[in-house]
Amino acid sequence: MDLHSYDQARIAGEQRRLRLQVLGLNTVEAEATFDRVARLAASFTQSPLAMVNFINDERQMFRGMYVPTASPDDKVSPDGGGIPFDLSNLSREAPGSYGFCPHVVAEGSQLALDDVFDYPRFKGNPLVNDLGVRSYLGTPLRDNTGMVLGTVCVADFKPRAWDRGLREGMQELTETLLSDFKLRDSLLAQQKELFAVFDGAPFPIMLTEGPDHLLRYANGKQGAAFGMVPQFSPGRMVLPGLESIGVFNAMDDAFRTGQATTLSQASITTYDHPSPQHFNFLCTPVRTSPGAPISGVLTVAMNTTGQAYPGADQQAFAANVQQRFERLGGGGLPGRRMDSAGYQH
C-alpha cells in the first residue's frame, strides 16, 4: 500500500470510528438485534459461523455473532456432519487486519470466496490457520447515510459455492439493519433536544458511555467546575480531580449494579471557586429503553457547601432525566457536536 492509499484508509477508519461512537456502536458488547441477524444469516446460508461485524480504525467488533456450540440441539451444522470444534467462547473482537471483513470494508463490495485456498492473497490469513475457515461470504454493512461501518458475513469450514441466491439474500438481510440505524439517528435528535435542558441546569451534569466512562456530554457547569475535556475521552484520564475523590468508583458501581449510587459530601477545589467545595454526586445508570442493557451513567453534581440537608432536588432531577431517557426508546447514546478544538457542546 502506497502512502496515499494508507492515508485514505486511515482517514476512512477514523471516520468510521467517529460514526460508530455517535451511534453507540464502538464497543464489543453483544446486542440482541445483531445476534438475531447473525443467526438468520447462518440459518439462511446453512453456515456454521456468522457475524455482524463493525470495524473502526483499530479493531473489529462482533456485536452480532452466531458460532458453533457443538450442541446436538443446534440446527445449523455443515451438511449434518457435525461441528468440528466448539467456538462458543470465541472473542467478540479482533485486530483490524484479521480475517476477510477488512477487505470487504475497504472495497465497499461483497466478497465471495468459495475456497480460500484458491486465492493466494487470502490463503495465509490468520482466520484460516486459527479457525480452519475455508469459505467466506461478506457483505458491506452500510448505515442510512451510505457509510460502510462493517460487514454481515458467514463462513464455513469446507469449500462451498456461494451462488447468486445466497449472495442476493445476504444483501437483503444486511439492508434490514438500515431501519436500526435510522432509529438511532432519530433518537439522537430527540436526545439532543433533551440536552438543551441540561445546558441550562444550574449544576454540573455529565453523561458517560460504557465501563470506561467515555465522556459523551457535559453541560457548561460541568466544564466550568471540573474542566472542559474532549468528547469521547476516557473520564478517569481527563478528569483526575473527580477520579481522586472517588466519583468514578461510584460510577463503576452504578454501571455494574444497575442501581443509582451516591457519593456524599466529597470535597474538591473547582476551577470556578478558589476554596474547596462540597458536592453530592448522584450516579444514575442509563438505559435507552426499560429492557435494554445499561449503556452509560448520568452523573449530577450538587454543590452542598453550607447546606445541612442537601440532595433532594438532585435526586428528583436525576430520576426525571432517567424516565425521559427511557421514554425515548431503544438505540445508541447521544453524540454531541464538537468545535474545532474538539470540545463538546
Side-chain angles (χ1 to χ4, degrees):
M1 180 183 295
D2 59 34
L3 183 60
H4 179 67
S5 298
Y6 175 82
D7 285 342
Q8 286 184 319
R10 177 182 56 79
I11 292 171
E14 291 173 351
Q15 292 174 335
R16 283 196 307 275
R17 172 171 51 81
L18 180 59
R19 178 64 172 154
L20 290 170
Q21 286 176 325
V22 167
L23 292 173
L25 294 172
N26 197 48
T27 64
V28 299
E29 283 76 21
E31 192 160 328
T33 296
F34 303 130
D35 274 344
R36 183 165 57 250
V37 168
R39 174 168 285 277
L40 287 172
S43 180
F44 167 69
T45 62
Q46 283 297 289
S47 302
L49 184 65
M51 295 177 179
V52 178
N53 181 13
F54 295 97
I55 303 177
N56 61 22
D57 55 338
E58 296 178 342
R59 61 177 177 167
Q60 303 178 62
M61 299 159 288
F62 310 127
R63 292 182 64 96
M65 181 183 289
Y66 175 85
V67 297
T69 61
S71 167
D73 297 326
D74 202 315
K75 304 301 183 185
V76 181
S77 61
D79 294 338
I83 301 295
F85 43 84
D86 186 357
L87 295 179
S88 57
N89 292 322
L90 188 66
S91 172
R92 283 189 178 260
E93 66 179 318
S97 60
Y98 188 85
F100 311 122
C101 290
H103 297 279
V104 176
V105 171
E107 299 297 327
S109 59
Q110 197 172 61
L111 175 64
L113 302 175
D114 295 347
D115 186 348
V116 174
F117 286 0
D118 290 339
Y119 302 86
R121 178 184 182 187
F122 300 117
K123 182 177 180 180
N125 195 286
L127 191 64
V128 178
N129 298 329
D130 295 348
L131 299 183
V133 167
R134 285 290 299 273
S135 54
Y136 168 89
L137 175 60
T139 302
L141 176 56
R142 299 180 186 273
D143 70 1
N144 51 304
T145 71
M147 179 178 289
V148 178
L149 301 180
T151 71
V152 177
C153 66
V154 292
D156 208 331
F157 303 113
K158 65 181 188 304
R160 58 178 293 178
W162 304 106
D163 61 32
R164 180 177 178 179
L166 291 177
R167 296 196 303 271
E168 291 180 349
M170 282 292 291
Q171 182 65 49
E172 292 176 1
L173 180 60
T174 301
E175 290 173 358
T176 64
L177 288 173
L178 282 173
S179 60
D180 182 85
F181 299 130
K182 289 179 181 178
L183 174 61
R184 288 173 185 267
D185 273 335
S186 175
L187 289 165
L188 289 172
Q190 296 178 57
Q191 291 171 355
K192 286 180 180 179
E193 293 177 2
L194 180 57
F195 281 143
V197 178
F198 295 179
D199 288 340
F203 34 76
I205 302 171
M206 67 175 173
L207 179 67
T208 57
E209 173 194 292
D212 294 329
H213 307 303
L214 303 181
L215 193 72
R216 298 302 304 260
Y217 166 81
N219 70 349
K221 284 291 185 180
Q222 167 78 20
F226 306 122
M228 292 291 290
V229 298
Q231 188 187 35
F232 299 124
S233 54
R236 275 193 162 89
M237 294 179 60
V238 297
L239 296 169
L242 297 183
E243 164 70 355
S244 66
I245 61 174
V247 173
F248 287 99
N249 289 337
M251 293 166 65
D252 286 340
D253 290 340
F255 190 88
R256 183 180 65 254
T257 66
Q259 303 294 321
T261 302
T262 301
L263 177 65
S264 300
Q265 294 296 293
S267 178
I268 182 173
T269 300
T270 62
Y271 286 97
D272 58 355
H273 202 279
S275 59
Q277 302 291 291
H278 296 286
F279 285 87
N280 273 9
F281 292 88
L282 181 62
C283 307
T284 304
V286 170
R287 295 178 175 87
T288 48
S289 66
I294 294 168
S295 51
V297 178
L298 178 76
T299 301
V300 179
M302 184 70 72
N303 192 327
T304 61
T305 305
Q307 298 182 31
Y309 301 102
D313 291 343
Q314 175 188 12
Q315 294 188 34
F317 176 85
N320 178 264
V321 168
Q322 175 65 18
Q323 292 172 3
R324 295 181 69 174
F325 262 105
E326 291 182 351
R327 284 199 297 268
L328 291 178
L333 281 171
R336 300 295 287 167
R337 66 180 178 84
M338 291 187 290
D339 61 24
S340 59
Y343 294 104
Q344 74 273 343
H345 293 267

